[in-house]
Amino acid sequence: MIHIKTPEQIELMRHAGRISAKVLRKTGEMVRPGITTLELDRFAENLIRIEGARPAFLGYSGFKGSICASVNDQIVHGIPHKDVRLNEGDIISIDTGAVLEGWYGDNAATFAVGEISADAQRLLQVTECAMWAGIAAAMAGNRLGDIGHAVQTVSEDAGFGVVREYVGHGIGRHMHEDPNVPNFGRRGQGIKLKAGMVLAIEPMINMGDYTTRGPFEDGWIVYTADGSLSAHFERTVAVSVEGPPEILTKE
Ligand code: MG
């Protein structure tokens, strides 16, 4: 069931979104060669709590981090760890979520660790572009497939693979609500978008093939099947009465 949010509820989600965005930006600023993903996690958790919120991911189905930190060929759900130290040339996808007064914010971005290859740079740029294309399609009267189609077109035109098994989602009083928001699809297909729907739009794009492997014994971390790099960008947005959606995860 899809929960349409009232303007008052969207106002509350702006607060959770603002904190999520600030934590993502500031944690991203900490990314550098030599830092561990556990250090990034501690930094983010501390900031979330200073802001008066609580980490959305910590304890979610038993997840052990306050952020997801996915390095190189890890697509999503990387678990922060003291032994995972970033190296020059790596890319790291950081996903941060905050809960404030029961409302969730969720956003992600992939960051360069020092200097990265031109190919990796292009993957990051295309994935972010694909996210914005998907967001631009999230307009009242459009359909869910329009979002996926927009993301898929940008990504595949660049020669990259669109992950199928993991998708965006509705969000509100729960981190994951209906509907699922695939990053692939056909124009004009799927449910009709309505003002007050709040969606997390989050392309996960592989430099190579779209297929995945995992999660393995840890139950979480998902890798590209072919070992290629993967990037992930995400914003929480509210469908407006008219025009493009409002970005809720912004400062
Ligand atoms: Mg999400």
Side-chain angles (χ1 to χ4, degrees):
M1 183 192 154
I2 298 173
H3 297 278
I4 301 289
K5 278 75 179 179
T6 65
E8 293 74 23
Q9 292 173 330
I10 288 176
E11 174 60 17
L12 293 168
M13 293 195 74
R14 277 186 199 108
H15 298 309
R18 186 189 57 76
I19 295 168
S20 304
K22 181 175 184 180
V23 172
L24 180 62
R25 176 179 59 82
K26 293 194 83 85
T27 307
E29 287 170 7
M30 297 289 290
V31 168
R32 56 181 159 75
I35 199 165
T36 68
T37 55
L38 187 64
E39 288 172 308
L40 293 173
D41 183 75
R42 291 290 143 82
F43 174 84
E45 178 175 357
N46 191 40
L47 189 53
I48 291 168
R49 296 198 192 281
I50 285 171
E51 293 285 338
R54 102 181 141 72
F57 306 156
L58 187 63
Y60 183 89
S61 299
F63 191 78
K64 287 191 171 61
S66 292
I67 63 171
C68 298
S70 311
V71 181
N72 292 335
D73 65 332
Q74 296 178 346
I75 299 171
V76 280
H77 305 157
I79 304 169
H81 197 281
K82 66 178 172 45
D83 295 337
V84 178
R85 200 173 286 282
L86 300 180
N87 294 305
E88 179 89 21
D90 286 344
I91 60 170
I92 178 171
S93 299
I94 297 177
D95 199 334
T96 65
V99 193
L100 188 72
E101 294 174 35
W103 295 91
Y104 283 73
D106 187 8
N107 61 5
T110 303
F111 300 93
V113 183
E115 286 284 311
I116 60 172
S117 70
D119 282 351
Q121 194 89 55
R122 189 167 152 266
L123 176 69
L124 269 50
Q125 284 163 352
V126 167
T127 306
E128 184 169 8
C129 247
M131 176 194 73
W132 288 116
I135 289 171
M139 290 204 288
N142 277 2
R143 290 185 181 269
L144 207 53
D146 294 315
I147 298 175
H149 178 79
V151 171
Q152 185 174 19
T153 302
V154 171
S155 308
E156 291 185 349
D157 282 357
F160 297 142
V162 177
V163 171
R164 305 292 202 270
E165 288 98 329
Y166 301 87
V167 296
H169 49 93
I171 179 168
R173 280 192 212 274
H174 302 276
M175 190 155 59
H176 295 111
E177 296 184 356
D178 288 337
N180 280 337
V181 184
N183 296 304
F184 53 93
R186 287 198 196 154
R187 222 178 243 161
Q189 302 264 302
I191 59 147
K192 199 174 251 191
L193 303 176
K194 292 193 180 118
M197 282 185 185
V198 180
L199 307 172
I201 296 178
E202 49 172 328
M204 288 148 260
I205 306 299
N206 300 345
M207 194 179 279
D209 191 77
Y210 67 81
T211 53
T212 65
R213 60 190 183 89
F216 296 111
E217 65 283 353
D218 59 55
W220 286 103
I221 311 179
V222 181
Y223 298 81
T224 59
D226 62 6
S228 67
L229 297 176
S230 188
H232 179 208
F233 283 82
E234 175 181 34
R235 295 288 189 282
T236 298
V237 308
V239 177
S240 304
V241 176
E242 260 191 307
E246 179 185 347
I247 312 297
L248 299 180
T249 45
K250 79 166 204 288
E251 291 183 74

